[in-house]
């Protein structure tokens, strides 16, 4: 499964986004981090060797005050149909504290 994160503005330095991946039968439950480099507006991570099945991928948004997801923070993916999922963020807060 490949999770892609888009929407980081280049004005911000490196940004990290955290996702939880949970299998339908709770047989898989793991957190992964996408760290987007300074010169990129998107990044991705690939999780290998997952069993074919249905998964919920949830972006953990409570720790990030600057970016919010466009649409839902949770998406479902069926690995028998596709192995790619994309989340897009919007930079909500432009001023530092």
């Amino acid at each position: 499964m490949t999770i892609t994160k888009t929407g980081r503005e280049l004005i911000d330095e490196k940004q990290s986004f955290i996702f939880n991946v949970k299998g339908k039968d709770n047989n898989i439950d793991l957190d992964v981090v996408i760290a987007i480099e300074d010169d990129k507006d998107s990044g991705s991570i690939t999780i290998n060797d997952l069993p074919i099945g249905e998964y919920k991928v949830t972006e953990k948004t409570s720790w990030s005050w600057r970016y919010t997801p466009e649409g839902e923070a949770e998406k479902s993916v069926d690995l028998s149909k596709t192995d790619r999922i994309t989340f897009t963020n919007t930079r909500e807060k432009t001023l530092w504290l």
Side-chain angles (χ1 to χ4, degrees):
M1 171 190 307
T2 298
I3 303 168
T4 300
K5 182 66 170 172
T6 64
R8 185 190 77 89
E9 292 193 19
L10 296 179
I11 193 169
D12 293 329
E13 293 182 6
K14 292 180 185 177
Q15 296 289 308
S16 296
F17 299 93
I18 303 170
F19 296 87
N20 176 260
V21 177
K22 189 173 283 194
K24 180 179 178 183
D25 300 324
N26 292 326
N27 57 339
I28 303 289
D29 187 358
L30 57 100
D31 290 334
V32 296
V33 176
I34 296 176
I36 302 178
E37 298 298 321
D38 286 342
D39 61 341
K40 307 283 185 197
D41 64 354
S42 65
S44 63
I45 188 167
T46 299
I47 306 165
N48 294 312
D49 300 324
L50 288 175
I52 296 296
E54 296 177 25
Y55 293 85
K56 284 187 181 178
V57 180
T58 306
E59 181 176 356
K60 293 187 173 188
T61 59
S62 61
W63 70 276
S64 177
W65 65 274
R66 198 169 183 109
Y67 286 89
T68 57
E70 291 181 6
E72 299 295 319
E74 180 178 283
K75 296 183 180 185
S76 296
V77 62
D78 184 345
L79 291 184
S80 67
K81 298 178 181 176
T82 185
D83 65 349
R84 299 188 180 277
I85 192 164
T86 300
F87 289 82
T88 302
N89 273 31
T90 300
R91 184 176 185 243
E92 294 291 328
K93 299 193 172 64
T94 58
L95 301 176
W96 289 101
L97 298 175

